[in-house]
Amino acid sequence: MIEMTPKTRERLLDSLRLAGEWYVNTQNTEENPWGGVHDSADLGRLIYEYYPARKWCRGMGVWGQAVAIMGLYSAGRMTRHESFDFKKTAQLAAGYLKTLQIINPARPEVHGAIFEHTPQSAHSFPRDGATGGMGFIAMYRETGEEEYLERAKLFAKWYHDYGSDKNGWPYGDYDLIKGEPKSLGRYVHGDWQAGGGLVYYYLYKLTGEQVWMDYLRQMIDPLLDMYERAKDSPIVSGFHGEVEISYGNDDFAIIALMAAYRHWKEPRMLQALQGHIRRLWTIADADGSYPSFAGTFVCTINNHEYLQLCLEEKLVEDIAALKYRIMKSALQGLTQQEARLHDIRAYGGFYGQSSYGVSRDRIHHRSTGYAMIMLARLLGGNTPYYSSWGWEK
C-alpha cells in the first residue's frame, strides 16, 4: 500500500530482523538460562524492560508474551537468518503463556483467567489478559493447534462473565485469590480498554459464533460515547487509567472500532472514527513522533489500518498525505532502536516508556513488540495482528 525506495525497505527489514533477534537473545531457555540456572519455571519467558546503565531488568508478563508471539511470527515471514529461529522463540513464549492461565472448573470465577506476571501472581489486569487471549489466537492461527483456540475461548468467556461488569465493560483489576474485582481508587475507565474487544472479534472471525460479536458490541457503544464526549473537549495527556481518552497509545481501541465499523457499517461509527483519528494527527510532533508510551508505534499502526480502510471504502481523504504521515512516523520510530551497544540485552531492542520517545534509559518490550508489528505491516507482510483484516478462514 505504501511505496518506498529499495534502501528504505532494507532499513525497515533490518530493523525488524534486529528486533526479532533481541527477543531470541534475551529469552530464558535451557541453552541460555537466566542467571545460569537450568530447569527454571521461567522457561520461555521474555524480558519486559532492561536498563543498560544499571544492568537491571525484569521478566515479562502476560500481555508482553503475547505481543512477542505476534511480532516474532510476523518477522519470521519477512526475514531469514540461519542463526535465529523466530518461530521456536514464539513457541517457547507460548509455553510460558500457557503456565499463566488458570484451568480450574471448580472455581468458575477464575477459570480461564490469566495471571498477570507469574503463576504465583495474585491478580490480573483483564485488559492485559485480553492481549494474552490474542496470543493464544495467534498461536492457533499460526499452528492450527486446537488447544490454543480452546484456551482463547476459555479466557474470553471468563473475560466477559467475570473480568467485566454487568454491562460487559472490563474491570481494571481482578483479585484471582478472592475471585472478585479489585478497587483501583481514582482509576478512570478509558477508551484503551475497548482494545481488548479484539479478542472477541478474532474469535468471531475464526468460529462464526455470534456471541463474540454481542460481547464486542458491549464495548463499542461506550467507546463511541467517549469519542463523542471528547470531540469538543481539550486534549489532556495521560496514560491508561489516568484519563478517559488516551492520546497516543490507545491500546488499539481505534482498531477495535474499525473492526466494528467494517462489520456493522453504521455511519455513527465511521464519523466517530474519522473525527478522532484526524484529531490525533494534530498532536504529532513535527518529526512524526507521538506522545505516550510507544505512542509513535501504536499511532502508526492505527494510521496504517485507517489507510487500508480508506482504500477499501474509497473514503474522502488525502491519501498521499496519510502515506507520508505514516512513513515519517515509522522512520522516526527507528531512531529509538539500539544498534551500537555491545550488550546482548540491549542490542536490537527499542527504547521506551517515554512520551515522544525522548528518553533512552531503558530498552522496553512495549516499543519493541509494537515496532515489529508496525514494520511487518509497512513491509506488506501477512500480519493480521492489531488489524481487522486477515482473519477470514
Side-chain angles (χ1 to χ4, degrees):
M1 289 193 297
I2 296 182
E3 304 77 21
M4 61 185 75
T5 66
K7 182 177 180 179
T8 297
R9 183 174 179 83
E10 286 302 316
R11 284 185 65 193
L12 268 57
L13 276 169
D14 193 57
S15 176
L16 179 60
R17 174 182 62 83
L18 290 179
E21 291 178 9
W22 179 76
Y23 281 114
V24 175
N25 288 328
T26 59
Q27 187 176 45
N28 187 35
T29 65
E30 270 300 288
E31 294 79 12
N32 295 292
W34 291 349
V37 178
H38 291 270
D39 297 323
S40 168
D42 275 335
L43 180 67
R45 197 176 185 190
L46 298 156
I47 284 178
Y48 179 70
E49 61 184 349
Y50 173 65
Y51 292 75
R54 294 192 285 136
K55 308 297 183 185
W56 187 92
C57 64
R58 58 176 170 146
M60 195 77 82
V62 51
W63 73 272
Q65 293 289 127
V67 171
I69 290 167
M70 301 178 208
L72 285 161
Y73 270 109
S74 299
R77 282 189 284 271
M78 304 296 297
T79 64
R80 295 288 184 272
H81 196 295
E82 61 183 13
S83 300
F84 295 94
D85 188 341
F86 292 167
K87 183 185 296 186
K88 178 182 177 182
T89 301
Q91 290 169 343
L92 283 173
Y96 183 75
L97 182 60
K98 287 197 293 185
T99 71
L100 298 179
Q101 188 171 35
I102 300 173
I103 308 295
N104 188 353
R107 293 192 66 204
E109 69 276 16
V110 299
H111 182 49
I114 307 177
F115 287 116
E116 186 65 25
H117 296 292
T118 74
Q120 290 79 39
S121 298
H123 78 110
S124 165
F125 294 133
R127 173 61 188 89
D128 287 354
T131 303
M134 292 179 222
F136 287 139
I137 290 171
M139 288 301 299
Y140 171 69
R141 184 182 184 279
E142 300 290 350
T143 69
E145 294 180 24
E146 291 289 334
E147 177 192 358
Y148 291 113
L149 179 61
E150 292 307 310
R151 283 179 175 273
K153 292 169 71 173
L154 190 63
F155 166 79
K157 190 73 169 64
W158 173 86
Y159 188 40
H160 179 268
D161 293 352
Y162 294 96
S164 301
D165 64 24
K166 64 181 181 180
N167 298 314
W169 191 259
Y171 292 121
D173 199 355
Y174 195 88
D175 190 319
L176 294 171
I177 303 302
K178 296 180 180 179
E180 60 185 31
K182 296 173 65 175
S183 172
L184 285 179
R186 298 179 64 184
Y187 175 86
V188 177
H189 284 191
D191 60 337
W192 61 279
Q193 290 173 283
L198 287 172
V199 75
Y200 297 142
Y201 181 75
Y202 295 156
L203 283 173
Y204 168 73
K205 298 298 284 187
L206 291 172
T207 68
E209 296 167 355
Q210 179 60 38
V211 64
W212 305 121
M213 291 306 289
D214 295 340
Y215 292 169
L216 175 62
R217 187 75 203 214
Q218 291 180 301
M219 302 177 77
I220 293 300
D221 287 337
L223 177 64
L224 288 171
D225 292 338
M226 290 178 186
Y227 282 168
E228 290 168 354
R229 280 196 297 272
K231 67 179 182 178
D232 297 319
S233 301
I235 292 175
V236 179
S237 63
F239 198 57
H240 306 156
E242 298 173 351
V243 292
E244 185 172 76
I245 299 295
S246 307
Y247 292 100
N249 179 353
D250 71 340
D251 223 351
F252 305 102
I254 287 174
I255 304 296
L257 180 55
M258 270 190 253
Y261 169 69
R262 294 187 65 227
H263 179 79
W264 283 294
K265 298 292 184 180
E266 295 180 13
R268 181 192 177 199
M269 294 179 180
L270 180 59
Q271 184 177 5
L273 169 65
Q274 289 188 298
H276 187 62
I277 204 163
R278 288 168 180 167
R279 194 177 201 214
L280 289 175
W281 296 343
T282 70
I283 64 172
D285 187 74
D287 66 3
S289 61
Y290 283 85
S292 189
F293 300 163
T296 301
F297 306 108
V298 174
C299 284
T300 303
I301 292 171
N302 288 342
N303 285 333
H304 189 269
E305 184 85 349
Y306 179 57
L307 171 62
Q308 194 158 348
L309 182 70
C310 289
L311 295 175
E312 180 177 276
E313 303 249 328
K314 297 180 172 57
L315 300 178
V316 177
E317 194 63 76
D318 188 336
I319 298 299
L322 179 54
K323 288 182 177 181
Y324 177 78
R325 178 176 290 109
I326 290 168
M327 284 304 299
K328 185 176 187 179
S329 296
L331 293 174
Q332 172 60 26
L334 295 192
T335 67
Q336 297 176 41
Q337 188 171 33
E338 178 55 70
R340 294 188 178 186
L341 286 181
H342 296 169
D343 183 335
I344 203 67
R345 288 184 169 173
Y347 189 77
F350 282 72
Y351 289 97
Q353 296 304 87
S354 68
S355 196
Y356 296 101
V358 299
S359 179
R360 298 176 73 87
D361 68 335
R362 76 196 84 174
I363 299 293
H364 206 278
H365 153 76
R366 177 177 274 110
S367 293
T368 307
Y370 292 157
M372 289 181 72
I373 293 170
M374 176 197 78
L375 290 165
R377 291 276 293 272
L378 294 179
L379 289 163
N382 180 14
T383 308
Y385 308 118
Y386 296 118
S387 176
S388 60
W389 278 273
W391 290 98
E392 286 71 21
K393 290 183 179 179

